[in-house]
Amino acid sequence: MKNSKLIETAIEALTCLPGVGPKSAQRMIYSLLKNNRHGGINLSQVLKQAMTEVSNCSVCQTYTENEICEICLNKDRLATGTVCVVENPSDIIAVERTGQFDGRYFVLHGNLSPIDGISPEDLKIDILENQLKSGNISEVILATSSTIHGEATALFISEICKKYKIQSTRIAYGIPIGGELDLVDGSTLIHAFSGRKTY
Amino acid sequence: MKNSKLIETAIEALTCLPGVGPKSAQRMIYSLLKNNRHGGINLSQVLKQAMTEVSNCSVCQTYTENEICEICLNKDRLATGTVCVVENPSDIIAVERTGQFDGRYFVLHGNLSPIDGISPEDLKIDILENQLKSGNISEVILATSSTIHGEATALFISEICKKYKIQSTRIAYGIPIGGELDLVDGSTLIHAFSGRKTY
């Protein structure tokens, strides 16, 4: 004998969340039923709204419920002429947290991967190319990850930049601040050496 | 600059789930938006239904969307005359998984705790007493936890059982199977010694 049918259905539905298995889903549903039904109903409403109303910013492709996201609406950011190309919307949050970048973003929502059938069109690189063509952009910072697919995507976009004579730069890879040399993996160390600067 | 307003609201709503902080909530919402909007909408619907329709079984007080839960509807289980008193509905799942108990349950949804204002009425012990009064019950197994409050609750219910001349038993506490003696805490060891049996 298990939980009642409705509770089992709810447990199964909760496992669509990443990192939530049947055991933690059961704990979640019991916790909501016992202590926070109001929170559960609120979650259900907000979740439905987010799933149906959030789409992509027509300029930078990040997630937003508006036509254009807040960052792209900011004219000061547009005026810098700098675009940072990232893989995921969460990367924007990470860069914004540093408070050091004042340009715009472009979100690819993935990386080029011919084997998985992910083409430049899937990443909306044509939209990015149109923006480069417009002539308002002077530098493209490529902040895709340092995986094979991330490198290939960066290279692909840098080729497009060349076509329009726009400077493209890649963010630096090396030893993280506070990281110890003997704990860092080999390929990071190679990057750190090849990317060394003169004092 | 942060996420869009709707996404921030959704992240905040998700943190009502136990063990989910802002960071994992953000990961969840991005994952749903990217890969599984259908799952998110389904979760929202099922969650709302569970929060509004699940109430307590009128007999054993466990969570169910029906008037009486499946276990209480089972006449064979009623006929055993045994009631296992547990703290939480999840305890029923744990006992059922053993497949060794064929009686009914009674869920307290907590323990007596005068300091927190939790009285016998809050735990519906009056409903349990009515069931004991009816004369169909021959044994009450007290499976509340071994905390001070759990022990006090077990003692309180055992006193009621005495009043109706019904046998009340407490589940055994001791070394868990596979547990090593030197890794077990002192109070468990004391329970294990005092609860020893003759071969």
Side-chain angles (χ1 to χ4, degrees):
Chain A
M1 202 85 46
K2 293 214 251 157
N3 288 297
S4 81
K5 214 170 156 186
L6 180 54
I7 295 181
E8 280 298 317
T9 316
I11 289 173
E12 211 188 297
L14 271 168
T15 57
C16 77
L17 299 171
V20 177
K23 194 101 190 184
S24 34
Q26 179 178 298
R27 197 164 60 95
M28 286 172 173
I29 204 79
Y30 279 140
S31 159
L32 288 181
L33 283 171
K34 186 169 183 184
N35 306 317
N36 200 356
R37 294 202 183 213
H38 182 77
I41 288 173
N42 174 48
L43 170 58
S44 113
Q45 285 161 346
V46 173
L47 195 60
K48 191 181 171 187
Q49 207 186 345
M51 291 300 116
T52 49
E53 291 179 20
V54 169
S55 63
N56 295 358
C57 167
S58 63
V59 181
C60 75
Q61 306 300 316
T62 194
Y63 291 134
T64 174
E65 66 273 23
N66 304 314
E67 161 78 25
I68 297 177
C69 77
E70 243 179 283
I71 293 180
C72 292
L73 281 175
N74 186 335
K75 287 199 174 139
D76 294 343
R77 281 173 169 264
L78 188 68
T80 62
T82 317
V83 175
C84 177
V85 177
V86 294
E87 279 172 27
N88 299 302
S90 53
D91 298 334
I92 296 186
I93 314 291
V95 178
E96 284 298 296
R97 215 179 294 127
T98 68
Q100 296 292 309
F101 179 71
D102 55 1
R104 287 203 303 108
Y105 295 91
F106 191 88
V107 183
L108 300 170
H109 291 282
N111 272 319
L112 288 180
S113 176
I115 214 163
D116 301 316
I118 301 177
S119 68
E121 286 73 45
D122 294 321
L123 305 182
K124 312 278 183 203
I125 293 182
D126 47 336
I127 295 182
L128 178 61
E129 187 166 351
N130 281 337
Q131 292 172 15
L132 297 180
K133 219 185 280 181
S134 74
N136 297 323
I137 295 168
S138 55
E139 181 182 355
V140 174
I141 300 174
L142 298 161
T144 55
S145 64
S146 57
T147 58
I148 298 177
H149 293 312
E151 291 290 352
T153 310
L155 192 68
F156 183 86
I157 297 174
S158 73
E159 292 295 329
I160 298 176
C161 291
K162 264 184 208 156
K163 204 161 78 179
Y164 298 102
K165 298 197 172 65
I166 294 168
Q167 186 186 21
S168 67
T169 53
R170 186 97 171 94
I171 53 166
Y173 290 97
I175 315 291
I177 305 305
E180 296 198 34
L181 221 68
D182 62 342
L183 296 178
V184 162
D185 63 298
S187 55
T188 302
L189 213 52
I190 292 172
H191 268 99
F193 270 80
S194 68
R196 68 190 182 278
K197 287 180 185 173
T198 49
Y199 253 115
Chain B
M1 203 86 44
K2 293 214 251 159
N3 288 297
S4 80
K5 213 170 158 187
L6 180 53
I7 295 182
E8 279 298 318
T9 316
I11 289 173
E12 210 188 299
L14 271 168
T15 56
C16 77
L17 298 172
V20 178
K23 195 102 191 185
S24 34
Q26 180 178 298
R27 197 164 59 94
M28 285 172 173
I29 204 80
Y30 279 141
S31 158
L32 288 182
L33 284 171
K34 186 170 184 183
N35 306 317
N36 200 356
R37 293 202 186 213
H38 182 78
I41 290 173
N42 174 49
L43 170 58
S44 115
Q45 285 161 346
V46 173
L47 195 60
K48 190 180 173 187
Q49 208 187 345
M51 290 302 116
T52 48
E53 291 180 18
V54 169
S55 63
N56 296 357
C57 166
S58 63
V59 182
C60 76
Q61 305 300 317
T62 193
Y63 291 133
T64 175
E65 66 272 24
N66 305 313
E67 161 78 26
I68 297 177
C69 75
E70 245 179 280
I71 293 180
C72 291
L73 280 175
N74 185 333
K75 287 201 174 140
D76 294 344
R77 282 175 168 264
L78 188 69
T80 63
T82 316
V83 175
C84 176
V85 177
V86 294
E87 278 172 26
N88 300 303
S90 53
D91 298 335
I92 295 186
I93 314 290
V95 177
E96 285 298 295
R97 215 179 293 128
T98 68
Q100 297 292 309
F101 179 70
D102 56 1
R104 286 201 307 106
Y105 295 91
F106 191 88
V107 182
L108 300 169
H109 291 282
N111 272 318
L112 288 179
S113 175
I115 213 162
D116 301 315
I118 302 176
S119 66
E121 286 74 45
D122 295 320
L123 304 182
K124 313 279 182 201
I125 293 181
D126 45 338
I127 295 182
L128 177 63
E129 186 165 352
N130 281 336
Q131 292 172 16
L132 297 179
K133 219 185 280 182
S134 72
N136 297 322
I137 295 168
S138 55
E139 181 182 355
V140 174
I141 300 174
L142 298 160
T144 55
S145 63
S146 57
T147 58
I148 298 178
H149 293 313
E151 292 289 354
T153 310
L155 192 69
F156 183 84
I157 297 174
S158 74
E159 293 294 328
I160 298 176
C161 291
K162 265 184 208 156
K163 203 161 78 179
Y164 298 103
K165 297 195 173 68
I166 294 168
Q167 187 186 22
S168 67
T169 54
R170 186 95 171 96
I171 54 166
Y173 290 98
I175 316 292
I177 304 305
E180 297 198 35
L181 221 68
D182 61 342
L183 297 176
V184 162
D185 64 296
S187 55
T188 303
L189 213 51
I190 292 171
H191 268 100
F193 270 80
S194 68
R196 69 191 182 278
K197 286 180 186 173
T198 48
Y199 252 115

